[in-house]
């Protein structure tokens, strides 16, 4: 019998506020007793606008009421500010000109209070006939929300429109137990794979000394080694899974350091075919990824290229070259997704001094690259895709040896660095990740972030909504009955899937000592959508989920491939799923989800 060995303990963030003239970094705790829900409910007036200089101080320009009647004047001064903070407050308001600002006023936490948030920083004000004199910083409010002013405005509007909306303060799940899969030194990557479309997920472990494939044992929390049974004989440093021959069975393309080989899956097991020797002129192979039907994108430290498999042979397609002044710093593996939501696969290559974005075209090709802000300064960065701000576009969390950054997508494939306004990512996350994934282990309809570190283990940043992430160490690997041999082991790779078939995502981890474990989620039978692409459907496709009254609230965006992906909901009931297919036409599906529901895109 499974045991629930991790209890919800509440949020425990330790924090400290630091402000200089140029930058304010808010280190705070999550206040479980005063969330944005209470802030909005207790405010009589909420008004948003942009900060602007004015005679004698500043004002909120272009005010828009979110709740209550906006005041006649929105002038702000520092005449009443605490002397030791006045200069820093003036610098904040001056540097914040043209940026979003939001004002809350009412009987808040039992006292008449006025609060202003600008550039992600909280200020306390006093209302009087002359306007709104600033009294100084209110660092404690960072425990209420630390996701940036633009996201706070969106959150306030959402809470004002839906009194039943929530903002989580804890991780919301725990481990039921874990099982040891087996020793496999030198794991280069893990991936959950449905060998036959829609079937139970297997766990693929890539290793230069020999890959392994593990299958869940029915009615038993174990995964058995089926590598020999399925005749898989691959040695992968890089890999990608895709149904190349469109027969409904997942195939493997494997790069062993010198040769790329396609291992076709058949009912009688895997059969290696179409071997391609690596050309040293291409540079270093940084990664492989599915990029449309029967196509694999090959990342190099030069220009990426495509390999298309047709008639038992590979065809190579070159990418358009970049301009002479394009970024030339160290390259990382390309990130493949539909970043602008037009149904065509795009390719983003982070480099040390900026990135390059090749937008997909209707004919399946790619346009000439444009510069992108997405940079991985040290090269060899790991990326996690997810919609962390809930706007329906895929953001990129990118970590390398030098930094970990969250790049927010504007919906058109343009990115900006929002790390310092993303909750715990800004004040707690370390660089040098070994792996990263977006997931929704607590199944609350908000996309969270899993980060693995070779020197720090497993870290889970849960999403409070609207880009405000929290990491308080509640989801710990050693809080299970059968932990790994050492509590301080590092992580080299991770994968997420419903390995025990109970309708909830679990996590497989490869540790630095060569051991493999699967950690089983304590949640089960939650309302989720199990989405995947039909065989032969070009992807990945960006799929969004909407739920709530009227047009609903966007619960996030997901990069969906032929492998099953869980799309989380806030609650059982009706929802809307949207995506743009490879013909450029938007599809909309209305579903009623009271238990796990399968959705195959392209059928």
């Amino acid at each position: 019998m499974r045991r629930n060995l991790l209890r919800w303990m509440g949020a425990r963030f330790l924090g400290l506020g630091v402000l200089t003239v140029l930058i304010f970094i808010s280190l705070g705790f999550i206040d479980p007793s005063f969330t944005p829900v209470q802030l909005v409910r207790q405010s009589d007036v909420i008004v948003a606008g942009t900060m602007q200089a004015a005679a004698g101080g500043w004002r909120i320009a272009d005010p828009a009421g979110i709740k209550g009647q906006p005041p006649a004047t929105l002038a702000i001064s520092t005449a009443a500010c605490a002397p030791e903070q006045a200069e820093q407050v003036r610098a904040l308001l001056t540097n914040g000109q043209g940026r979003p600002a939001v004002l809350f006023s009412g009987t808040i936490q039992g006292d008449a209070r006025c609060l202003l948030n600008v550039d992600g920083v909280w200020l306390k004000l006093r209302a009087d006939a002359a306007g709104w004199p600033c009294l100084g910083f209110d660092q404690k409010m960072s425990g209420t929300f630390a996701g940036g002013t633009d996201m706070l405005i969106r959150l306030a509007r959402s809470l004002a429109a839906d009194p039943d909306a929530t903002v989580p303060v804890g991780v919301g799940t725990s481990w039921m137990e874990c099982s040891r899969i087996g020793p496999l030194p030198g794991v280069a990557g893990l991936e959950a794979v449905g060998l036959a479309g829609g079937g139970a997920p297997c766990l693929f472990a890539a290793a230069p000394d020999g890959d392994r494939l593990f299958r869940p044992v029915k009615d038993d929390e174990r995964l058995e080694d089926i590598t020999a049974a399925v005749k898989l004989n691959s040695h992968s440093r890089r890999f990608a899974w895709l149904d190349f021959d469109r027969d409904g069975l997942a195939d493997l393309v494997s790069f062993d350091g010198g040769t790329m080989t396609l291992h076709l899956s058949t009912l009688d097991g895997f059969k290696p075919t179409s071997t391609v020797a690596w050309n040293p002129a291409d540079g270093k192979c940084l990664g492989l990824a599915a990029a449309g039907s029967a196509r694999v994108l090959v990342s190099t430290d030069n220009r990426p290229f495509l390999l298309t498999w047709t008639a038992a042979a590979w065809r190579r397609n070159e990418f358009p070259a970049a301009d002479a002044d394009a970024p030339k710093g160290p390259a990382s593996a390309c990130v493949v997704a539909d970043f602008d939501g037009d149904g065509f696969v795009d390719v983003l290559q982070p480099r040390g001094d900026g990135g390059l974005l090749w937008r997909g075209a209707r004919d399946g090709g790619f346009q000439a690259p444009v510069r992108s802000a997405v940079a991985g300064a040290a090269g060899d960065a790991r990326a996690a895709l997810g919609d962390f701000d809930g706007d329906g576009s895929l953001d990129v969390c990118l970590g390398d040896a030098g930094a970990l950054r969250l790049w927010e997508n504007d919906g058109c494939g343009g990115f900006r660095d929002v790390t310092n306004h993303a909750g715990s990512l800004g004040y707690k996350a370390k660089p040098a990740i070994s792996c990263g994934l977006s997931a929704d282990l607590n199944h609350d309809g908000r996309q969270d972030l899993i980060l693995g570190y070779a020197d720090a283990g497993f870290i889970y940043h849960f999403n409070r909504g609207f880009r405000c992430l929290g990491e308080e160490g509640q989801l710990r690997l050693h809080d299970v009955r059968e932990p790994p041999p050492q509590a301080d082991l590092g992580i080299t790779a991770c994968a997420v899937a419903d390995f025990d078939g109970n309708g909830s995502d679990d996590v497989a981890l490869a540790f630095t000592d060569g051991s493999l474990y699967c950690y089983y989620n304590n949640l089960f039978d939650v309302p989720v959508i199990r989405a995947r692409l039909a065989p032969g459907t070009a992807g990945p496709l960006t799929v969004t989920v909407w739920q709530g009254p009227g047009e609903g609230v966007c619960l996030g965006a997901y990069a969906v491939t032929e492998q099953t992906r869980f799309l989380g909901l806030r609650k059982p009931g009706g929802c809307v799923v949207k995506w743009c297919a490879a013909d450029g036409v938007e599809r909309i599906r209305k579903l009623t989800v009271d238990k796990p529901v399968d959705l195959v895109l392209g059928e």
Side-chain angles (χ1 to χ4, degrees):
M1 180 182 295
R2 294 179 172 181
R3 301 177 183 177
N4 179 357
L5 298 179
L6 180 60
R7 302 297 184 187
W8 188 86
M9 299 297 293
R12 297 180 181 179
F13 274 25
L14 298 178
L16 162 67
V18 178
L19 178 71
T20 67
V21 170
L22 298 178
I23 188 168
F24 181 95
I25 303 175
S26 176
L27 306 187
F29 60 91
I30 291 179
D31 185 348
S33 64
F34 192 69
T35 73
V37 174
Q38 285 76 37
L39 175 63
V40 170
R41 286 178 181 172
Q42 295 175 22
S43 295
D44 299 320
V45 173
I46 306 175
V47 59
T50 55
M51 188 57 54
Q52 187 178 88
W58 299 264
R59 70 186 185 99
I60 299 177
D62 304 316
I66 296 176
K67 182 180 179 182
Q69 184 65 33
T73 178
L74 287 167
I76 299 167
S77 70
T78 57
C81 190
E84 66 275 12
Q85 296 183 5
E87 182 179 350
Q88 295 172 334
V89 170
R90 285 193 290 269
L92 171 70
L93 296 176
T94 299
N95 293 331
Q97 291 187 67
R99 298 179 182 177
V102 59
L103 174 75
F104 300 84
S105 178
T107 304
I108 300 172
Q109 292 182 301
D111 298 318
R113 296 179 66 190
C114 303
L115 298 164
L116 176 68
N117 191 284
V118 58
D119 204 19
V121 180
W122 288 96
L123 299 172
K124 48 190 175 183
L125 310 178
R126 184 181 71 236
D128 61 23
W132 302 82
C134 179
L135 305 179
F137 298 108
D138 196 333
Q139 296 175 7
K140 291 182 179 180
M141 284 299 297
S142 64
T144 296
F145 189 80
T149 306
D150 54 344
M151 294 296 110
L152 179 59
I153 293 171
R154 285 182 53 198
L155 176 56
R157 288 196 174 109
S158 176
L159 293 172
D162 182 5
D164 294 328
T166 61
V167 179
V169 297
V171 72
T173 190
S174 61
W175 305 120
M176 193 175 300
E177 65 177 328
C178 73
S179 65
R180 183 181 174 89
I181 302 171
L184 185 60
V187 171
L190 295 176
E191 185 164 331
V193 180
L195 295 183
C202 295
L203 177 65
F204 172 74
D209 292 335
D211 302 337
R212 304 274 283 278
L213 196 62
F214 303 91
R215 179 175 59 196
V217 178
K218 188 176 181 180
D219 299 325
D220 191 343
E221 283 67 56
R222 292 186 302 111
L223 283 86
E224 60 180 353
D225 190 339
I226 61 169
T227 311
V230 298
K231 304 176 184 177
L232 181 62
N233 183 22
S234 54
H235 300 73
S236 300
R237 296 181 183 274
R238 313 291 184 191
F239 66 91
W241 285 88
L242 184 65
D243 182 8
F244 286 92
D245 54 2
R246 308 182 188 184
D247 62 354
L249 302 176
D251 308 309
L252 169 69
V253 59
S254 168
F255 175 69
D256 63 8
T259 302
M260 196 172 302
T261 303
L262 174 62
H263 298 261
L264 285 176
S265 180
T266 71
L267 296 178
D268 190 41
F270 286 90
K271 295 182 178 180
T273 184
S274 298
T275 298
V276 177
W278 186 257
N279 184 350
D282 288 325
K284 182 181 178 182
C285 180
L286 300 178
L288 307 178
S293 181
R295 302 192 307 179
V296 59
L297 178 108
V298 183
S299 297
T300 78
D301 51 7
N302 296 312
R303 199 189 330 167
F305 60 88
L306 279 175
L307 288 177
T308 304
W309 193 82
T310 57
W314 290 108
R315 184 179 72 247
R316 175 166 170 156
N317 300 97
E318 301 294 341
F319 269 53
D323 294 336
D325 62 347
K328 296 181 175 61
S332 296
C334 294
V335 187
V336 181
D338 177 10
F339 290 112
D340 51 12
D342 62 359
F344 310 129
V345 176
D346 307 313
V347 173
L348 174 66
Q349 183 189 54
R351 302 194 74 99
D353 51 351
L356 290 171
L357 177 66
W358 286 267
R359 297 183 188 275
R362 187 176 292 272
D363 61 1
F366 292 88
Q367 303 175 31
V370 296
R371 293 184 69 101
S372 173
V374 179
D380 198 25
R382 270 71 169 180
L385 281 174
D387 179 12
F388 302 105
D389 57 357
D391 67 351
S393 300
L394 289 169
D395 308 314
V396 179
C397 181
L398 195 71
D400 60 17
L404 184 136
R405 297 186 180 95
L406 180 60
W407 298 94
E408 185 177 76
N409 188 350
D410 64 4
C412 300
F415 293 88
R416 66 181 182 123
D417 183 355
V418 295
T419 312
N420 288 332
H421 296 306
S424 56
L425 281 192
Y427 60 77
K428 200 170 186 180
K430 296 172 50 180
I433 62 172
S434 56
C435 56
L437 287 173
S438 68
D440 185 12
L441 296 186
N442 51 26
H443 292 289
D444 65 355
R446 300 172 179 91
Q447 288 177 263
D448 308 323
L449 183 63
I450 292 174
L451 298 178
Y453 294 87
D455 61 351
F458 171 94
I459 306 293
Y460 192 74
H461 294 263
F462 71 91
N463 196 344
R464 305 184 69 201
F466 297 96
R467 202 181 65 214
C468 185
L469 279 75
E471 194 286 301
E472 74 317 8
Q474 290 177 355
L475 200 59
R476 299 175 298 183
L477 297 182
H478 58 273
D479 285 334
V480 290
R481 184 177 59 193
E482 297 179 5
Q486 302 175 29
D488 58 351
L489 285 177
I491 303 294
T492 61
C494 59
V496 172
D498 180 14
F499 292 110
D500 58 0
N502 68 353
S504 185
D505 271 334
D506 310 306
V507 179
L509 297 169
F511 290 88
T512 50
D513 70 343
S515 60
L516 290 175
Y517 279 80
C518 184
Y519 283 75
Y520 295 99
N521 198 335
N522 195 39
L523 299 177
F524 58 92
D525 291 335
V526 294
V528 297
I529 301 169
R530 296 182 293 216
R532 61 181 175 86
L533 302 183
T537 300
L541 297 180
T542 296
V543 180
T544 62
V545 184
W546 304 74
Q547 192 173 43
E551 296 182 357
V553 174
C554 182
L555 306 187
Y558 301 81
V560 176
T561 67
E562 293 168 324
Q563 304 303 327
T564 297
R565 180 75 189 266
F566 277 25
L567 315 184
L569 301 180
R570 297 277 168 87
K571 57 186 178 181
C575 67
V576 176
V577 181
K578 302 178 183 180
W579 71 97
C580 196
D583 57 6
V585 178
E586 184 183 54
R587 267 65 164 184
I588 299 176
R589 287 283 299 274
K590 295 182 179 180
L591 301 173
T592 299
V593 182
D594 297 315
K595 59 182 180 180
V597 170
D598 292 312
L599 176 63
V600 181
L601 309 180
E603 288 187 341

